[in-house]
Amino acid sequence: GAGVSQSPSNKVTEKGKDVELRCDPISGHTALYWYRQSLGQGLEFLIYFQGNSAPDKSGLPSDRFSAERTGGSVSTLTIQRTQQEDSAVYLCASSSGQPNEKLFFGSGTQLSVL
Amino acid sequence: GDSVTQMEGPVTLSEEAFLTINCTYTATGYPSLFWYVQYPGEGLQLLLKATKADDKGSNKGFEATYRKETTSFHLEKGSVQVSDSAVYFCALSDQGGYNKLIFGAGTRLAVHP
């Protein structure tokens, strides 16, 4: 595709519900990253995929957070039993995987947990 | 662990003013350094980068020099425009070798005519 696509762009949910956030990376990009941007804070790394495997998931804040990638393409970030502190913008990025190559970011999913 | 600290915003300037946004980092080894920009309503995009000490990254009139001795990568522009209004993020590339970026908190720049 032309760029990294994320859906939905906005998600409002109730505390305790599960949510799924989707990322479609640029075609051919083997590396995929999830970040979280909370109000007034920088981007917090969550997880990195190379192909379908996740060699670095060190940023996932709790076991309520999980992510998968299938076919070396689409990725889904799942948050179970959402809490108010999960409210943030969730950003996905992809790259060719070459050293120092730039990351291409999507526009993000704004998650609001009421 | 590795970290990035950048000056708090917002920074408010008049058009054609000189811009400096400070960025310092803490890292083991020699990371690559980046500035990303987020224009209103758009996703983050790379502005410039430098991959080794004393390198200067430049793009769209912006410059930043990788200073190992001061662990800094300050962003500068000689004459800002209204269209430069955005949030600027300094970042370093983790030494893990897969472009994992560690970001600063971001600095909002507002340029007025």
Side-chain angles (χ1 to χ4, degrees), chain B residues 90-111:
Chain B
C90 185
L92 65 81
S93 180
D94 182 89
Q95 291 291 285
Y98 50 85
N99 298 335
K100 171 184 172 181
L101 294 179
I102 297 170
F103 286 88
T107 302
R108 182 174 299 278
L109 170 65
V111 180

Side-chain angles (χ1 to χ4, degrees), chain B residues 65-105:
Chain B
T65 301
Y66 188 163
R67 301 288 188 199
K68 187 178 69 171
E69 62 276 13
T70 54
T71 62
S72 65
F73 193 55
H74 304 321
L75 182 68
E76 296 182 337
K77 186 174 186 182
S79 176
V80 293
Q81 305 301 311
V82 172
S83 57
D84 294 326
S85 299
V87 182
Y88 293 81
F89 293 89
C90 185
L92 65 81
S93 180
D94 182 89
Q95 291 291 285
Y98 50 85
N99 298 335
K100 171 184 172 181
L101 294 179
I102 297 170
F103 286 88

Side-chain angles (χ1 to χ4, degrees), chain A residues 17-31:
Chain A
K17 301 281 190 182
D18 298 352
V19 295
E20 285 189 353
L21 312 179
R22 177 187 169 103
C23 172
D24 277 281
I26 291 173
S27 178
H29 277 186
T30 59

Side-chain angles (χ1 to χ4, degrees), chain B residues 13-14 16-20 76-80:
Chain B
L13 295 173
S14 297
E16 299 184 2
F18 184 85
L19 169 70
T20 300
E76 296 182 337
K77 186 174 186 182
S79 176
V80 293

Side-chain angles (χ1 to χ4, degrees), chain B residues 7-82:
Chain B
M7 63 188 289
E8 290 189 23
V11 174
T12 304
L13 295 173
S14 297
E15 207 166 22
E16 299 184 2
F18 184 85
L19 169 70
T20 300
I21 300 178
N22 290 337
C23 171
T24 57
Y25 67 89
T26 301
T28 55
Y30 303 102
S32 296
L33 301 174
F34 305 81
W35 278 99
Y36 277 77
V37 58
Q38 188 173 32
Y39 297 105
E42 299 184 18
L44 274 84
Q45 55 188 277
L46 178 67
L47 179 60
L48 53 84
K49 69 178 181 182
T51 58
K52 60 182 188 296
D54 300 325
D55 268 4
K56 177 186 286 186
S58 61
N59 186 26
K60 299 181 181 180
F62 290 88
E63 293 183 339
T65 301
Y66 188 163
R67 301 288 188 199
K68 187 178 69 171
E69 62 276 13
T70 54
T71 62
S72 65
F73 193 55
H74 304 321
L75 182 68
E76 296 182 337
K77 186 174 186 182
S79 176
V80 293
Q81 305 301 311
V82 172

